[in-house]
Amino acid sequence: MFKKVLIANRGEIVIRVAKSCRKLDLRPCGIYSDADKDSLHIRHCEEVLSIGGSSPSESYLRMDKIINAAQKLGCDFIHPGYGFLAENLEFSELCRKEGIIFVGPSPEVMKLSGDKVRARKVASKVASIVEGDEVSKVSDALDLANKIGYPVILKAAKGGGGRGLRIVTSSDELKVAFASSRNEAIMSFGSDRVYIEKYIENPRHIEVQILGDDSNIIHLGERECSVQRRNQKLIEETPSPALTNETREKITDTAIAVMKEMRYNNAGTVEFLFKEGNFYFMEVNSRIQVEHAITEEVTGIDIVAEQLHISSGEGLSIKQEDVKPRGHAIECRINAEHPISFVPFPGMVKHFVPTIGKGIRVDTFLYSGYSIPPFYDSLVAKLICTGENRDDTIRMMKDALFSFRISGIPTTIPFHISALSDNRFLEGNYDTSFINQLRPFSSKDGEVAAAILFQLPKKVHFLKKSEEEDLWMKSRFDWTHIFDPDGSPQSSLRWNK
Ligand code: ADP
Ligand code: ADP
Ligand code: MG
């Protein structure tokens, strides 16, 4: 009899996981909230159950409802995707108790990886960490910050998704930030434990994809994720333009050593900050990551299928010597957000026409006429391009972005066009401060992005400095210009260049 997998998530990642399930002759099953009754992910599951409630706390975070659904459908596995319960220790323990296989590392591992303070301690045996520690009182926080020196960053021990993070430059700020970080931590993660780290200015974010079973831990190379807003990723690429072969070997060896310390046993990511040739362990993400697809494209390895192999007890189907990355891959996260302020903009998608072509992969759950609900993450599509080398891939990506058509709602597409035209990005010389410094309309392609954003006359003109300034200010404060009301093809803007 075919085994069944409950994919306990929503949107694009359900569709992505369902594809690997079918490849392995596993039956994908799903759940959906009230707000998701028209979501495309339902079609990709062979059996689905409604779990009610639109807000995550009434549905996708309800462990009881999800376990119940798995039992009703007779599922052998639960794949948690990313976000929601993916890194929740209690949920993985509950699955074990109910005899359902949680597709992820064992609860023993998650006890370490899910607590960023503990993970830092374990990792520090084999990797450099940034100076810092847990603090439970504001007076301790002030003492520690004085000792390590401002700026510092406050983080939630159980944190994720950029929440609970506060960058602090003085003791006055720290007093306020300590309370607000703890509040956010308890609201988002059910724990008010926080820690302080030295804030590294303008680092790069580089992470290593790991696969491990009970006998072997291998890496699939690194990903550069330094294009971030609000400490959340928007563009990722592999390989990282910042690494020499020597530093690459060091960072991947260190990632494996960290995971060996944790006895890690599934797909996971070790995140590092990288500056001036040194890298510092940041955290382990014990789940499939949003940006896993770029690694899949250069290695040809199906990471979700490997997760399922590991969880079913078959172990990894590949060895380290089978991993031979080839070419270059970039992902642009297309979010339903204003492309400059990054304020989320859910709403009705009038027309949706993704770009297709050789080397282009689109992971999405959008379709024309779909109404994006306001309750969830703003990520609506991942555009992934893979080419022979970095320059070719950037060119492909820009072409793909020009042709990608989403009307009715604003998206991050114009941002991506500007970012991929910026000299620092083109030279591979960027860090996490990139977005703050980006002048979105200062390049020729930036002007095309501006035209898409503002529905300017089709003839794209070279902006004067004052006009650029004007657009920039307007775009930050006036959100009425961002729609594409008649749904005219965005690509036509290019013909008049
Ligand atoms: P990735 O490195 O996979 O991109 P992100 O930090 O961007 O990870 O998070 C991926 C998704 O998961 C986002 O939708 C984010 O909001 C969500 N997320 C991450 N961690 C948590 C968490 N602990 N609780 C809830 N949601 C989370
Ligand atoms: P999350 O669990 O929310 O993903 P992380 O600890 O991974 O939190 O940090 C998210 C981002 O915040 C990093 O990618 C980086 O841009 C920034 N960051 C985190 N720690 C530091 C630090 N010590 N110095 C500078 N930037 C940091
Ligand atoms: Mg992180």
Side-chain angles (χ1 to χ4, degrees):
M1 209 179 74
F2 289 112
K3 293 197 165 162
K4 292 183 181 178
V5 182
L6 182 71
I7 311 170
N9 211 297
R10 65 178 299 278
E12 70 84 20
I13 192 63
V14 177
I15 298 174
R16 163 69 196 91
V17 173
K19 283 181 187 161
S20 292
C21 289
R22 280 194 295 272
K23 198 159 100 184
L24 302 182
D25 274 337
L26 296 162
R27 296 267 148 90
C29 299
I31 50 175
Y32 61 97
S33 68
D34 292 343
D36 273 342
K37 61 182 188 338
D38 299 321
S39 176
L40 200 58
H41 79 258
I42 293 175
R43 288 204 183 192
H44 289 256
C45 298
E46 295 187 11
E47 292 173 76
V48 288
L49 279 177
S50 153
I51 53 166
S54 291
S55 81
S57 61
E58 297 171 300
S59 48
Y60 299 109
L61 289 173
R62 280 283 298 269
M63 304 185 203
D64 54 339
K65 285 188 177 179
I66 293 170
I67 296 282
N68 198 356
Q71 287 168 335
K72 260 197 198 149
L73 296 171
C75 292
D76 309 272
F77 299 87
I78 292 185
H79 192 301
Y82 54 72
F84 298 124
L85 297 171
E87 295 183 87
N88 190 299
L89 172 64
E90 201 188 323
F91 184 61
S92 73
E93 282 171 336
L94 191 60
C95 289
R96 180 184 273 181
K97 190 169 142 248
E98 297 295 334
I100 303 166
I101 300 171
F102 175 83
V103 182
S106 61
E108 290 72 23
V109 172
M110 285 172 74
K111 256 180 212 146
L112 298 177
S113 63
D115 182 325
K116 293 167 83 168
V117 175
R118 265 190 233 159
R120 265 170 59 91
K121 291 222 165 84
V122 175
S124 68
K125 293 183 197 164
V126 289
S128 304
I129 56 168
V130 187
E131 195 180 352
D133 209 346
E134 184 167 354
V135 283
S136 50
K137 292 202 304 260
V138 72
S139 55
D140 295 346
L142 288 166
D143 287 347
L144 183 60
N146 263 337
K147 192 178 141 240
I148 59 184
Y150 291 94
V152 296
I153 184 167
L154 268 169
K155 298 191 190 184
K158 301 272 174 149
R163 270 171 292 164
L165 296 183
R166 298 282 184 285
I167 297 155
V168 180
T169 56
S170 69
S171 55
D172 283 346
E173 271 177 42
L174 180 56
K175 286 176 203 155
V176 180
F178 184 74
S180 78
S181 172
R182 279 188 16 151
N183 271 344
E184 192 170 325
I186 191 116
M187 298 281 284
S188 314
F189 313 111
S191 154
D192 66 357
R193 287 175 51 225
V194 295
Y195 65 107
I196 284 184
E197 253 180 28
K198 175 80 191 157
Y199 181 70
I200 305 214
E201 296 194 57
N202 309 340
R204 300 180 77 127
H205 172 122
I206 299 179
E207 59 185 32
V208 180
Q209 175 69 55
I210 295 288
L211 288 174
D213 59 22
D214 289 331
S215 53
N216 201 9
I217 294 186
I218 67 173
H219 76 84
L220 306 188
E222 85 283 3
R223 292 183 288 255
E224 162 88 55
C225 316
S226 299
V227 180
Q228 302 184 349
R229 55 98 179 73
R230 299 194 285 268
N231 303 305
Q232 293 168 325
K233 302 157 188 169
L234 277 182
I235 302 178
E236 300 96 344
E237 62 175 315
T238 184
S240 164
L243 297 186
T244 60
N245 282 339
E246 198 186 330
T247 42
R248 174 168 297 112
E249 202 175 307
K250 268 196 203 147
I251 206 167
T252 51
D253 282 354
T254 306
I256 288 184
V258 168
M259 294 306 233
K260 281 193 172 149
E261 284 294 324
M262 294 195 178
R263 302 174 159 272
Y264 200 86
N265 52 3
N266 207 284
T269 302
V270 188
E271 295 190 332
F272 296 94
L273 294 172
F274 182 76
K275 188 166 179 182
E276 289 157 2
N278 298 313
F279 47 86
Y280 307 92
F281 169 86
M282 200 163 34
E283 65 161 341
V284 168
N285 288 142
S286 59
R287 56 176 160 89
I288 189 82
Q289 251 171 313
V290 173
E291 60 274 20
H292 73 281
I294 55 173
T295 302
E296 294 189 324
E297 293 305 312
V298 296
T299 60
I301 293 165
D302 180 333
I303 298 175
V304 175
E306 291 305 324
Q307 285 191 296
L308 292 162
H309 284 310
I310 298 163
S311 291
S312 63
E314 293 160 26
L316 281 171
S317 76
I318 40 168
K319 296 194 184 63
Q320 188 66 64
E321 30 314 354
D322 302 326
V323 183
K324 297 193 183 89
R326 198 175 165 270
H328 197 97
I330 303 179
E331 169 178 272
C332 288
R333 295 194 191 192
I334 299 179
N335 294 349
E337 284 174 16
H338 184 283
I340 292 176
S341 64
F342 301 114
V343 170
F345 260 90
M348 167 78 93
V349 177
K350 208 163 142 194
H351 295 286
F352 176 65
V353 188
T355 313
I356 50 172
K358 191 163 175 283
I360 300 173
R361 167 172 168 182
V362 180
D363 283 14
T364 185
F365 62 115
L366 286 192
Y367 56 86
S368 300
Y370 176 63
S371 204
I372 300 167
F375 307 100
Y376 313 109
D377 204 80
S378 57
L379 179 83
V380 291
K382 305 190 303 199
L383 173 59
I384 300 124
C385 289
T386 312
E388 286 295 319
N389 56 49
R390 189 169 188 267
D391 289 348
D392 284 352
T393 310
I394 292 174
R395 216 168 15 246
M396 280 170 76
M397 181 60 93
K398 265 163 62 176
D399 284 337
L401 286 162
F402 284 133
S403 307
F404 207 108
R405 184 173 161 207
I406 300 179
S407 67
I409 52 149
T411 73
T412 44
I413 290 175
F415 159 78
H416 288 301
I417 295 170
S418 303
L420 265 62
S421 312
D422 188 278
N423 275 337
R424 284 165 307 152
F425 189 85
L426 296 176
E427 287 159 14
N429 181 21
Y430 61 94
D431 56 49
T432 57
S433 69
F434 177 75
I435 289 185
N436 279 343
Q437 290 164 15
L438 186 71
R439 299 311 308 256
F441 309 130
S442 60
S443 72
K444 203 163 147 203
D445 289 328
E447 287 168 27
V448 179
I452 293 171
L453 178 57
F454 289 101
Q455 288 291 291
L456 296 178
K458 294 272 159 75
K459 188 174 173 320
V460 176
H461 44 239
F462 289 90
L463 297 177
K464 290 194 215 106
K465 196 81 200 144
S466 58
E467 286 174 320
E468 188 203 323
E469 204 62 35
D470 190 45
L471 261 183
W472 167 242
M473 294 308 281
K474 203 154 117 194
S475 61
R476 288 171 69 187
F477 300 112
D478 182 354
W479 298 335
T480 57
H481 290 76
I482 50 189
F483 295 88
D484 175 11
D486 66 354
S488 59
Q490 297 171 345
S491 53
S492 68
L493 291 167
R494 290 190 76 202
W495 302 336
N496 298 315
K497 245 202 311 200

